[in-house]
Coordinates of all heavy atoms in Angstrom, one line a residue:
M1463 N 0.9 -1.2 0.0 CA 0.0 0.0 0.0 C 0.9 1.2 0.0 O 1.9 1.3 0.7 CB -0.9 0.0 1.3 CG -2.1 0.8 1.2 SD -3.3 0.4 -0.1 CE -3.7 -1.3 0.3
S1464 N 0.5 2.2 -0.8 CA 1.3 3.5 -0.8 C 0.4 4.6 -1.3 O -0.7 4.3 -1.8 CB 2.5 3.3 -1.7 OG 2.1 3.1 -3.0
A1465 N 0.9 5.8 -1.2 CA 0.1 7.0 -1.6 C 1.0 7.8 -2.5 O 2.2 7.9 -2.3 CB -0.3 7.8 -0.4
A1466 N 0.4 8.4 -3.5 CA 1.1 9.2 -4.5 C 1.3 10.6 -3.9 O 0.3 11.2 -3.4 CB 0.4 9.3 -5.8
I1467 N 2.5 11.1 -3.9 CA 2.8 12.5 -3.5 C 3.7 13.1 -4.6 O 4.3 12.4 -5.4 CB 3.4 12.7 -2.1 CG1 4.7 11.9 -2.0 CG2 2.4 12.1 -1.1 CD1 5.5 12.3 -0.7
Q1468 N 3.7 14.4 -4.6 CA 4.4 15.2 -5.7 C 5.9 15.3 -5.3 O 6.2 15.6 -4.1 CB 3.8 16.6 -5.8 CG 4.2 17.4 -6.9 CD 3.6 18.7 -6.9 OE1 3.4 19.4 -5.9 NE2 3.1 19.2 -8.1
A1469 N 6.8 15.1 -6.2 CA 8.2 15.3 -6.0 C 8.7 16.4 -7.0 O 8.5 16.3 -8.2 CB 9.0 14.0 -6.2
C1470 N 9.5 17.3 -6.5 CA 10.1 18.4 -7.4 C 11.2 17.8 -8.2 O 12.1 17.2 -7.6 CB 10.5 19.6 -6.5 SG 11.4 20.8 -7.5
L1471 N 11.3 18.0 -9.5 CA 12.4 17.5 -10.3 C 13.6 18.5 -10.2 O 14.7 18.1 -10.5 CB 11.9 17.4 -11.7 CG 10.9 16.4 -12.0 CD1 10.5 16.4 -13.5 CD2 11.4 15.0 -11.6
G1472 N 13.4 19.6 -9.6 CA 14.5 20.6 -9.4 C 15.3 20.3 -8.2 O 16.6 20.2 -8.3
C1473 N 14.7 20.1 -7.1 CA 15.4 20.0 -5.8 C 15.1 18.7 -5.1 O 15.7 18.4 -4.0 CB 15.2 21.2 -4.9 SG 13.5 21.3 -4.2
G1474 N 14.1 17.9 -5.6 CA 13.8 16.6 -4.9 C 12.8 16.7 -3.8 O 12.5 15.7 -3.1
S1475 N 12.4 17.9 -3.4 CA 11.4 18.1 -2.3 C 10.2 17.3 -2.6 O 9.7 17.2 -3.7 CB 11.0 19.6 -2.2 OG 12.1 20.3 -1.7
L1476 N 9.7 16.7 -1.5 CA 8.4 16.0 -1.6 C 7.3 16.9 -1.1 O 7.5 17.6 0.0 CB 8.5 14.7 -0.7 CG 9.5 13.7 -1.1 CD1 9.5 12.5 -0.1 CD2 9.3 13.2 -2.5
L1477 N 6.2 17.0 -1.8 CA 5.2 18.0 -1.5 C 3.8 17.3 -1.4 O 3.5 16.5 -2.2 CB 5.2 19.1 -2.6 CG 6.5 19.7 -2.9 CD1 6.5 20.6 -4.1 CD2 6.9 20.6 -1.7
F1478 N 3.1 17.8 -0.4 CA 1.7 17.4 -0.3 C 1.0 18.5 0.5 O 1.4 18.8 1.6 CB 1.4 16.0 0.3 CG 0.0 15.6 0.2 CD1 -0.4 14.9 -0.9 CD2 -0.9 15.9 1.2 CE1 -1.8 14.5 -1.0 CE2 -2.2 15.6 1.1 CZ -2.7 14.8 0.0
P1479 N -0.1 19.0 0.0 CA -0.8 18.8 -1.3 C 0.1 19.3 -2.5 O 1.1 20.0 -2.3 CB -2.1 19.5 -1.2 CG -1.8 20.6 -0.2 CD -0.8 20.1 0.7
A1480 N -0.3 18.9 -3.7 CA 0.4 19.3 -4.9 C 0.5 20.8 -5.0 O -0.5 21.5 -4.7 CB -0.2 18.6 -6.1
R1481 N 1.6 21.3 -5.6 CA 1.8 22.7 -5.8 C 2.0 23.0 -7.2 O 2.3 22.2 -8.0 CB 3.0 23.2 -5.0 CG 3.2 22.7 -3.6 CD 2.2 23.5 -2.7 NE 2.2 22.9 -1.3 CZ 3.0 23.3 -0.4 NH1 4.0 24.1 -0.6 NH2 3.0 22.7 0.8
L1482 N 1.8 24.3 -7.6 CA 2.1 24.8 -8.9 C 3.5 25.1 -9.1 O 4.1 24.9 -10.1 CB 1.2 26.0 -9.3 CG -0.3 25.8 -9.4 CD1 -1.0 27.1 -9.5 CD2 -0.6 24.8 -10.5
L1483 N 4.1 25.6 -8.0 CA 5.6 25.9 -8.0 C 6.2 25.3 -6.7 O 5.5 25.4 -5.6 CB 5.8 27.5 -7.9 CG 5.3 28.3 -9.1 CD1 5.4 29.8 -8.9 CD2 6.1 27.9 -10.4
C1484 N 7.4 24.9 -6.8 CA 8.1 24.3 -5.6 C 8.4 25.5 -4.6 O 9.0 26.5 -5.0 CB 9.4 23.7 -6.0 SG 10.3 23.1 -4.6
P1485 N 7.9 25.3 -3.4 CA 8.2 26.4 -2.4 C 9.7 26.5 -2.0 O 10.1 27.5 -1.5 CB 7.4 26.0 -1.2 CG 7.2 24.5 -1.3 CD 7.2 24.3 -2.8
R1486 N 10.5 25.5 -2.3 CA 11.9 25.6 -2.0 C 12.7 26.2 -3.1 O 13.6 27.0 -2.8 CB 12.4 24.2 -1.6 CG 13.9 24.2 -1.2 CD 14.4 22.9 -0.7 NE 13.8 22.5 0.6 CZ 13.9 21.4 1.1 NH1 14.5 20.4 0.5 NH2 13.3 21.1 2.3
C1487 N 12.5 25.7 -4.4 CA 13.4 26.2 -5.4 C 12.7 26.9 -6.5 O 13.4 27.5 -7.4 CB 14.2 25.0 -6.0 SG 13.2 23.9 -7.1
G1488 N 11.4 27.0 -6.5 CA 10.6 27.8 -7.5 C 10.4 27.1 -8.8 O 9.7 27.6 -9.7
Q1489 N 10.9 25.9 -9.0 CA 10.6 25.1 -10.3 C 9.2 24.7 -10.4 O 8.5 24.6 -9.4 CB 11.5 23.9 -10.3 CG 12.9 24.1 -10.8 CD 13.3 23.1 -11.9 OE1 12.4 22.5 -12.5 NE2 14.6 23.0 -12.1
D1490 N 8.8 24.5 -11.6 CA 7.4 24.0 -11.9 C 7.4 22.6 -12.5 O 6.4 22.3 -13.2 CB 6.6 25.0 -12.7 CG 7.2 25.3 -14.1 OD1 8.2 24.7 -14.4 OD2 6.5 26.0 -14.8
D1491 N 8.5 21.9 -12.4 CA 8.5 20.5 -13.0 C 8.4 19.5 -11.9 O 9.3 19.5 -11.0 CB 9.8 20.3 -13.8 CG 9.8 21.1 -15.0 OD1 8.8 21.4 -15.6 OD2 11.0 21.5 -15.4
F1492 N 7.4 18.6 -12.0 CA 7.2 17.7 -10.9 C 7.0 16.3 -11.4 O 6.6 16.1 -12.6 CB 6.0 18.1 -10.1 CG 6.1 19.4 -9.4 CD1 5.5 20.5 -10.0 CD2 6.7 19.5 -8.2 CE1 5.6 21.7 -9.4 CE2 6.8 20.8 -7.6 CZ 6.2 21.9 -8.2
S1493 N 7.2 15.3 -10.6 CA 6.8 13.9 -10.9 C 6.1 13.4 -9.7 O 5.9 14.1 -8.7 CB 8.0 13.0 -11.1 OG 8.8 12.9 -10.0
T1494 N 5.6 12.2 -9.8 CA 4.9 11.6 -8.7 C 5.7 10.4 -8.1 O 6.2 9.6 -8.9 CB 3.5 11.1 -9.1 OG1 2.7 12.2 -9.6 CG2 2.7 10.4 -8.0
V1495 N 5.8 10.4 -6.8 CA 6.5 9.3 -6.2 C 5.5 8.6 -5.2 O 4.5 9.2 -4.8 CB 7.8 9.7 -5.4 CG1 8.8 10.3 -6.4 CG2 7.5 10.7 -4.3
Q1496 N 5.8 7.4 -4.8 CA 5.0 6.6 -3.9 C 5.6 6.7 -2.5 O 6.7 6.3 -2.3 CB 4.8 5.2 -4.3 CG 4.1 5.0 -5.7 CD 2.7 5.5 -5.7 OE1 1.9 5.2 -4.7 NE2 2.3 6.3 -6.7
A1497 N 4.8 7.2 -1.5 CA 5.2 7.2 -0.1 C 4.5 6.0 0.5 O 3.3 5.8 0.4 CB 4.8 8.5 0.5
E1498 N 5.3 5.2 1.2 CA 4.8 3.9 1.8 C 4.3 4.1 3.2 O 3.2 3.6 3.5 CB 5.9 2.9 1.8 CG 6.6 2.5 0.5 CD 5.6 1.8 -0.5 OE1 4.7 1.1 0.0 OE2 5.8 2.0 -1.7
Q1499 N 5.0 4.8 4.0 CA 4.7 4.8 5.4 C 4.9 6.3 5.9 O 5.6 7.0 5.3 CB 5.7 4.0 6.3 CG 5.7 2.5 6.0 CD 4.7 1.8 6.8 OE1 4.4 2.2 8.0 NE2 4.1 0.7 6.4
A1500 N 4.2 6.6 7.0 CA 4.4 7.9 7.7 C 4.2 7.7 9.2 O 3.5 6.8 9.6 CB 3.4 8.9 7.2
D1501 N 4.9 8.5 9.9 CA 4.9 8.4 11.4 C 3.8 9.3 12.0 O 3.8 10.5 11.7 CB 6.3 8.8 11.9 CG 7.4 7.9 11.4 OD1 7.1 6.7 11.2 OD2 8.4 8.4 11.1
V1502 N 3.0 8.8 12.9 CA 1.9 9.5 13.5 C 2.5 10.5 14.5 O 3.3 10.0 15.4 CB 0.9 8.5 14.2 CG1 -0.2 9.3 14.9 CG2 0.3 7.6 13.1
Q1503 N 2.2 11.7 14.4 CA 2.6 12.8 15.4 C 1.5 13.1 16.4 O 1.8 13.3 17.5 CB 3.0 14.1 14.6 CG 4.0 13.9 13.6 CD 5.3 13.4 14.1 OE1 5.8 13.9 15.2 NE2 6.0 12.4 13.5
Q1504 N 0.3 13.1 15.9 CA -0.8 13.6 16.7 C -2.1 13.1 16.1 O -2.2 12.9 14.9 CB -0.9 15.1 16.8 CG -1.6 15.7 17.9 CD -1.3 17.2 18.0 OE1 -1.1 17.9 17.1 NE2 -1.2 17.6 19.3
T1505 N -3.1 12.8 16.9 CA -4.4 12.4 16.4 C -5.5 13.3 17.0 O -5.4 13.9 18.0 CB -4.8 10.9 16.8 OG1 -4.8 10.8 18.2 CG2 -3.7 10.0 16.2
T1506 N -6.6 13.4 16.2 CA -7.8 14.2 16.6 C -9.0 13.4 16.2 O -9.1 12.9 15.1 CB -7.8 15.5 15.9 OG1 -6.6 16.2 16.2 CG2 -9.0 16.3 16.3
Q1507 N -9.9 13.2 17.2 CA -11.2 12.5 16.9 C -12.3 13.6 16.7 O -12.5 14.4 17.6 CB -11.6 11.5 18.0 CG -12.8 10.7 17.7 CD -12.7 9.3 18.0 OE1 -11.9 8.9 18.9 NE2 -13.4 8.4 17.4
L1508 N -13.0 13.5 15.6 CA -14.0 14.4 15.3 C -15.3 14.0 16.0 O -15.4 12.8 16.4 CB -14.3 14.6 13.8 CG -13.1 15.0 13.0 CD1 -13.5 15.1 11.5 CD2 -12.5 16.3 13.5
A1509 N -16.3 14.9 16.1 CA -17.5 14.5 16.8 C -18.3 13.3 16.2 O -18.9 12.6 16.9 CB -18.5 15.8 16.8
D1510 N -18.1 13.2 14.9 CA -18.7 12.0 14.2 C -18.0 10.7 14.3 O -18.3 9.7 13.7 CB -19.0 12.4 12.8 CG -17.8 12.5 11.9 OD1 -16.7 12.3 12.4 OD2 -17.9 12.8 10.7
G1511 N -16.8 10.7 15.0 CA -16.1 9.5 15.2 C -14.9 9.4 14.3 O -14.0 8.5 14.5
T1512 N -14.8 10.2 13.3 CA -13.7 10.2 12.3 C -12.4 10.5 13.0 O -12.3 11.4 13.8 CB -13.9 11.2 11.2 OG1 -15.2 11.0 10.5 CG2 -12.8 11.2 10.2
L1513 N -11.4 9.7 12.8 CA -10.1 9.9 13.4 C -9.2 10.5 12.4 O -9.0 9.9 11.3 CB -9.6 8.6 14.0 CG -8.3 8.6 14.7 CD1 -8.4 9.5 16.0 CD2 -7.8 7.2 15.1
L1514 N -8.6 11.6 12.7 CA -7.6 12.3 11.8 C -6.3 12.1 12.5 O -6.2 12.1 13.7 CB -8.0 13.7 11.6 CG -9.3 14.1 11.0 CD1 -9.5 15.6 10.9 CD2 -9.5 13.4 9.6
A1515 N -5.2 12.1 11.7 CA -3.9 12.0 12.2 C -3.0 12.9 11.4 O -3.1 13.1 10.2 CB -3.3 10.6 12.1
T1516 N -2.1 13.6 12.2 CA -1.0 14.4 11.6 C 0.2 13.5 11.5 O 0.6 12.9 12.5 CB -0.7 15.6 12.4 OG1 -1.9 16.4 12.5 CG2 0.4 16.4 11.7
L1517 N 0.7 13.3 10.3 CA 1.8 12.3 10.1 C 3.0 13.0 9.5 O 2.8 14.0 8.8 CB 1.4 11.1 9.2 CG 0.2 10.4 9.7 CD1 -1.0 10.7 8.9 CD2 0.4 8.9 9.6
T1518 N 4.2 12.5 9.6 CA 5.4 12.9 8.9 C 5.8 11.8 8.0 O 6.1 10.7 8.5 CB 6.5 13.3 9.9 OG1 6.0 14.3 10.8 CG2 7.7 13.8 9.2
I1519 N 5.9 12.2 6.7 CA 6.5 11.2 5.8 C 8.0 11.4 5.9 O 8.5 12.5 5.8 CB 6.0 11.6 4.3 CG1 4.5 11.4 4.2 CG2 6.8 10.7 3.3 CD1 3.9 11.9 2.9
P1520 N 8.8 10.2 6.1 CA 10.2 10.4 6.2 C 10.8 11.1 5.0 O 10.5 10.8 3.9 CB 10.7 8.9 6.2 CG 9.5 8.1 6.8 CD 8.3 8.9 6.2
N1521 N 11.6 12.1 5.4 CA 12.3 13.0 4.4 C 11.2 13.8 3.6 O 11.5 14.2 2.4 CB 13.2 12.2 3.4 CG 14.3 11.5 4.2 OD1 14.9 12.1 5.1 ND2 14.5 10.3 3.9
G1522 N 10.0 13.9 4.1 CA 9.0 14.6 3.3 C 8.1 15.4 4.2 O 8.5 15.8 5.3
P1523 N 7.0 15.8 3.7 CA 6.1 16.7 4.4 C 5.3 16.1 5.5 O 5.2 14.9 5.6 CB 5.2 17.2 3.2 CG 5.1 16.0 2.3 CD 6.4 15.4 2.4
H1524 N 4.7 17.0 6.3 CA 3.6 16.6 7.2 C 2.4 16.5 6.4 O 2.1 17.3 5.5 CB 3.4 17.6 8.3 CG 4.7 17.8 9.1 ND1 5.1 16.9 10.0 CD2 5.5 18.9 9.2 CE1 6.2 17.4 10.6 NE2 6.5 18.6 10.1
V1525 N 1.6 15.5 6.7 CA 0.3 15.4 6.0 C -0.8 15.1 7.1 O -0.5 14.6 8.2 CB 0.2 14.2 5.0 CG1 1.2 14.5 3.9 CG2 0.5 12.9 5.6
I1526 N -2.0 15.5 6.8 CA -3.1 15.2 7.7 C -4.0 14.2 6.9 O -4.4 14.4 5.8 CB -4.0 16.5 8.0 CG1 -3.1 17.4 8.8 CG2 -5.2 16.1 8.8 CD1 -3.7 18.8 9.1
A1527 N -4.2 13.1 7.6 CA -4.8 11.9 6.9 C -6.0 11.5 7.8 O -6.1 11.7 9.0 CB -3.8 10.8 6.7
R1528 N -6.9 10.8 7.1 CA -8.0 10.1 7.8 C -7.6 8.7 8.1 O -7.1 8.0 7.2 CB -9.3 10.1 7.0 CG -10.4 9.4 7.6 CD -11.8 9.8 7.1 NE -11.9 9.9 5.6 CZ -12.4 8.9 4.9 NH1 -12.8 7.8 5.4 NH2 -12.4 9.0 3.5
V1529 N -7.7 8.3 9.4 CA -7.3 6.9 9.8 C -8.4 6.0 9.5 O -9.6 6.2 9.9 CB -6.9 6.9 11.3 CG1 -6.6 5.5 11.7 CG2 -5.7 7.9 11.5
T1530 N -8.2 4.9 8.7 CA -9.2 4.0 8.4 C -8.8 2.6 8.9 O -7.6 2.3 9.1 CB -9.3 3.8 6.8 OG1 -8.1 3.3 6.3 CG2 -9.7 5.2 6.2
G1531 N -9.8 1.8 9.3 CA -9.6 0.4 9.7 C -9.2 0.2 11.1 O -8.8 -0.9 11.5
G1532 N -9.3 1.3 11.9 CA -8.9 1.1 13.3 C -8.5 2.4 13.9 O -8.8 3.5 13.5
T1533 N -7.6 2.3 15.0 CA -7.1 3.5 15.6 C -5.6 3.5 15.6 O -5.0 2.5 15.3 CB -7.7 3.6 17.1 OG1 -7.2 2.5 17.8 CG2 -9.2 3.7 17.1
T1534 N -5.0 4.6 16.0 CA -3.6 4.7 16.1 C -3.2 5.7 17.2 O -4.1 6.4 17.8 CB -3.0 5.2 14.8 OG1 -1.6 5.1 14.8 CG2 -3.4 6.6 14.5
V1535 N -2.0 5.7 17.6 CA -1.5 6.6 18.6 C -0.2 7.2 18.1 O 0.5 6.7 17.3 CB -1.3 5.9 20.0 CG1 -2.6 5.4 20.6 CG2 -0.3 4.8 19.8
P1536 N 0.2 8.4 18.7 CA 1.4 9.0 18.3 C 2.6 8.1 18.5 O 2.6 7.3 19.5 CB 1.5 10.2 19.2 CG 0.1 10.6 19.5 CD -0.6 9.3 19.6
G1537 N 3.5 8.1 17.5 CA 4.7 7.2 17.6 C 4.6 6.0 16.7 O 5.6 5.4 16.4
E1538 N 3.3 5.6 16.3 CA 3.2 4.5 15.4 C 3.5 4.9 14.0 O 3.5 6.1 13.7 CB 1.7 4.0 15.5 CG 1.4 3.2 16.7 CD 0.1 2.5 16.7 OE1 -0.8 2.9 15.9 OE2 -0.1 1.5 17.4
S1539 N 3.8 4.0 13.2 CA 4.0 4.2 11.7 C 2.8 3.5 11.0 O 2.5 2.4 11.3 CB 5.3 3.6 11.3 OG 5.5 3.8 9.9
L1540 N 2.2 4.3 10.1 CA 1.0 3.7 9.4 C 1.3 3.7 7.9 O 2.0 4.6 7.4 CB -0.2 4.6 9.6 CG -0.9 4.7 10.9 CD1 -2.1 5.5 10.9 CD2 -1.2 3.3 11.4
P1541 N 0.8 2.7 7.2 CA 0.9 2.7 5.7 C 0.0 3.8 5.2 O -1.2 3.9 5.6 CB 0.4 1.3 5.4 CG -0.4 0.8 6.5 CD 0.1 1.5 7.7
L1542 N 0.5 4.5 4.2 CA -0.3 5.5 3.5 C -1.0 4.9 2.4 O -0.6 3.9 1.8 CB 0.6 6.6 3.0 CG 1.3 7.5 4.0 CD1 2.4 8.3 3.3 CD2 0.3 8.4 4.6
T1543 N -2.2 5.5 2.0 CA -3.0 5.0 0.9 C -3.7 6.1 0.3 O -4.1 7.1 1.0 CB -3.9 3.9 1.3 OG1 -4.6 3.4 0.2 CG2 -4.9 4.3 2.4
N1544 N -4.0 6.0 -1.0 CA -4.9 6.9 -1.7 C -6.3 6.3 -1.8 O -7.2 6.9 -2.4 CB -4.4 7.2 -3.1 CG -3.2 8.1 -3.1 OD1 -2.3 7.8 -3.8 ND2 -3.1 9.1 -2.3
N1545 N -6.5 5.1 -1.2 CA -7.8 4.4 -1.3 C -8.5 4.5 0.1 O -8.0 4.0 1.1 CB -7.5 2.9 -1.6 CG -8.8 2.1 -1.6 OD1 -9.9 2.6 -1.4 ND2 -8.6 0.8 -1.9
P1546 N -9.6 5.2 0.1 CA -10.3 5.5 1.3 C -10.9 4.2 1.9 O -11.3 4.1 3.1 CB -11.5 6.4 1.0 CG -11.7 6.3 -0.5 CD -10.3 5.9 -1.1
N1547 N -11.0 3.1 1.1 CA -11.5 1.8 1.6 C -10.4 0.8 1.7 O -10.7 -0.4 1.6 CB -12.6 1.3 0.7 CG -13.8 2.3 0.7 OD1 -14.2 2.8 1.7 ND2 -14.2 2.8 -0.5
A1548 N -9.2 1.2 1.9 CA -8.1 0.3 2.0 C -8.2 -0.6 3.2 O -8.7 -0.2 4.2 CB -6.7 1.0 2.1
G1549 N -7.7 -1.8 3.1 CA -7.8 -2.7 4.2 C -7.3 -4.1 3.8 O -7.0 -4.3 2.6
P1550 N -7.2 -5.1 4.6 CA -7.5 -4.9 6.1 C -6.4 -4.2 6.8 O -5.3 -4.0 6.2 CB -7.6 -6.4 6.5 CG -6.6 -7.1 5.6 CD -6.8 -6.4 4.3
G1551 N -6.7 -3.8 8.0 CA -5.7 -3.2 8.8 C -5.9 -1.7 8.8 O -6.7 -1.1 8.2
V1552 N -5.1 -1.0 9.7 CA -5.1 0.4 9.8 C -4.3 1.1 8.8 O -3.2 0.7 8.5 CB -4.6 0.8 11.2 CG1 -4.8 2.3 11.5 CG2 -5.4 0.1 12.3
H1553 N -4.9 2.1 8.1 CA -4.2 2.9 7.1 C -4.4 4.4 7.3 O -5.4 4.8 8.0 CB -4.8 2.5 5.7 CG -4.4 1.1 5.3 ND1 -5.1 0.0 5.7 CD2 -3.4 0.7 4.5 CE1 -4.5 -1.0 5.1 NE2 -3.5 -0.7 4.4
A1554 N -3.6 5.2 6.7 CA -3.7 6.6 6.7 C -4.1 7.0 5.3 O -3.3 6.9 4.4 CB -2.4 7.3 7.2
F1555 N -5.3 7.5 5.1 CA -5.8 7.9 3.8 C -5.6 9.4 3.5 O -5.9 10.2 4.3 CB -7.3 7.6 3.7 CG -8.0 8.3 2.5 CD1 -7.8 7.9 1.2 CD2 -8.8 9.4 2.8 CE1 -8.4 8.5 0.2 CE2 -9.5 10.0 1.7 CZ -9.2 9.6 0.4
I1556 N -4.9 9.6 2.4 CA -4.8 11.0 1.9 C -5.3 11.0 0.4 O -5.2 10.0 -0.3 CB -3.4 11.5 1.9 CG1 -2.4 10.7 1.1 CG2 -2.9 11.7 3.3 CD1 -1.0 11.2 1.0
P1557 N -6.0 12.0 0.0 CA -6.5 12.0 -1.4 C -5.5 12.0 -2.4 O -4.3 12.4 -2.2 CB -7.4 13.3 -1.4 CG -7.0 14.1 -0.2 CD -6.2 13.3 0.7
V1558 N -5.8 11.6 -3.6 CA -4.9 11.6 -4.7 C -4.6 13.0 -5.1 O -5.5 13.8 -5.2 CB -5.6 10.8 -6.0 CG1 -4.6 10.9 -7.2 CG2 -5.9 9.4 -5.6
P1559 N -3.3 13.3 -5.3 CA -2.9 14.7 -5.7 C -3.4 15.0 -7.1 O -3.5 14.1 -7.9 CB -1.4 14.7 -5.5 CG -1.0 13.3 -5.8 CD -2.1 12.5 -5.2
S1560 N -3.6 16.3 -7.3 CA -3.8 16.7 -8.7 C -2.6 16.4 -9.5 O -1.5 16.3 -9.0 CB -4.2 18.1 -8.8 OG -3.1 18.9 -8.7
N1561 N -2.7 16.3 -10.9 CA -1.5 16.1 -11.7 C -1.1 17.4 -12.4 O -0.5 17.4 -13.5 CB -1.7 15.0 -12.7 CG -2.9 15.3 -13.6 OD1 -3.6 16.3 -13.5 ND2 -3.2 14.3 -14.5
V1562 N -1.5 18.6 -11.8 CA -1.1 19.9 -12.3 C 0.4 19.9 -12.5 O 1.2 19.6 -11.6 CB -1.5 21.0 -11.4 CG1 -1.0 22.4 -11.9 CG2 -3.0 21.0 -11.3
N1563 N 0.9 20.3 -13.7 CA 2.3 20.5 -14.0 C 3.1 19.2 -14.0 O 4.3 19.2 -14.0 CB 3.0 21.5 -13.1 CG 2.6 22.9 -13.4 OD1 1.8 23.1 -14.4 ND2 3.1 23.9 -12.7
Q1564 N 2.4 18.0 -13.9 CA 3.2 16.8 -13.8 C 3.8 16.4 -15.1 O 3.1 16.4 -16.1 CB 2.3 15.7 -13.3 CG 3.0 14.3 -13.1 CD 2.0 13.3 -12.5 OE1 1.1 13.6 -11.8 NE2 2.3 12.1 -12.8
D1565 N 5.0 16.1 -15.2 CA 5.7 15.6 -16.4 C 5.2 14.2 -16.7 O 5.3 13.3 -15.8 CB 7.2 15.7 -16.3 CG 7.7 17.1 -16.3 OD1 6.9 18.0 -16.6 OD2 8.9 17.3 -16.0
Q1566 N 4.8 14.0 -17.9 CA 4.4 12.6 -18.2 C 5.6 11.8 -18.8 O 6.4 12.4 -19.5 CB 3.3 12.7 -19.3 CG 2.0 13.5 -18.8 CD 1.4 12.8 -17.6 OE1 1.3 11.6 -17.5 NE2 0.9 13.6 -16.7
P1567 N 5.7 10.6 -18.4 CA 6.8 9.8 -18.9 C 6.7 9.6 -20.4 O 5.7 9.6 -21.0 CB 6.7 8.4 -18.2 CG 5.3 8.4 -17.6 CD 4.8 9.8 -17.5
Ligands
LIG1728 ZN1 12.2 22.2 -5.8

């Protein structure tokens, strides 16, 4: 399981959500890479029971994801997914990034 995130072709920065310009180097050429896991920093439970987590992708950005398939606590590492119905097991769901400015192979 993995989730697509944007990678700058100029400086290699990993970005989520997708950007039109890289905030580090200003380039507008991007590709998509797959992020497998992210580390849970903090969780928040909404009134409707939805569990959100702030996660850090190693060498990448912080993302806020919806936790699916169970619960988590800070310090755990969760598999990332672009599939809101991923399973079995606990996953961190982030939406598919737009492909704005993405270089096609
Ligand atoms: Zn860059």
Side-chain angles (χ1 to χ4, degrees):
M1463 200 61 60
S1464 62
I1467 61 172
Q1468 189 182 43
C1470 174
L1471 294 176
C1473 69
S1475 292
L1476 301 178
L1477 305 168
F1478 188 88
R1481 311 287 173 85
L1482 293 172
L1483 295 173
C1484 175
R1486 182 174 289 170
C1487 74
Q1489 276 229 20
D1490 64 355
D1491 293 327
F1492 299 98
S1493 66
T1494 299
V1495 298
Q1496 296 297 314
E1498 303 291 332
Q1499 297 270 332
D1501 301 321
V1502 176
Q1503 304 297 317
Q1504 198 166 38
T1505 61
T1506 301
Q1507 184 138 26
L1508 304 183
D1510 68 359
T1512 302
L1513 185 62
L1514 302 179
T1516 302
L1517 305 103
T1518 302
I1519 296 173
N1521 301 314
H1524 300 289
V1525 298
I1526 297 174
R1528 178 158 46 97
V1529 177
T1530 63
T1533 62
T1534 189
V1535 294
E1538 285 187 338
S1539 181
L1540 290 183
L1542 290 167
T1543 182
N1544 292 133
N1545 177 359
N1547 301 309
V1552 182
H1553 290 82
F1555 163 72
I1556 57 175
V1558 177
S1560 76
N1561 59 1
V1562 173
N1563 284 2
Q1564 182 178 333
D1565 287 350
Q1566 300 299 321

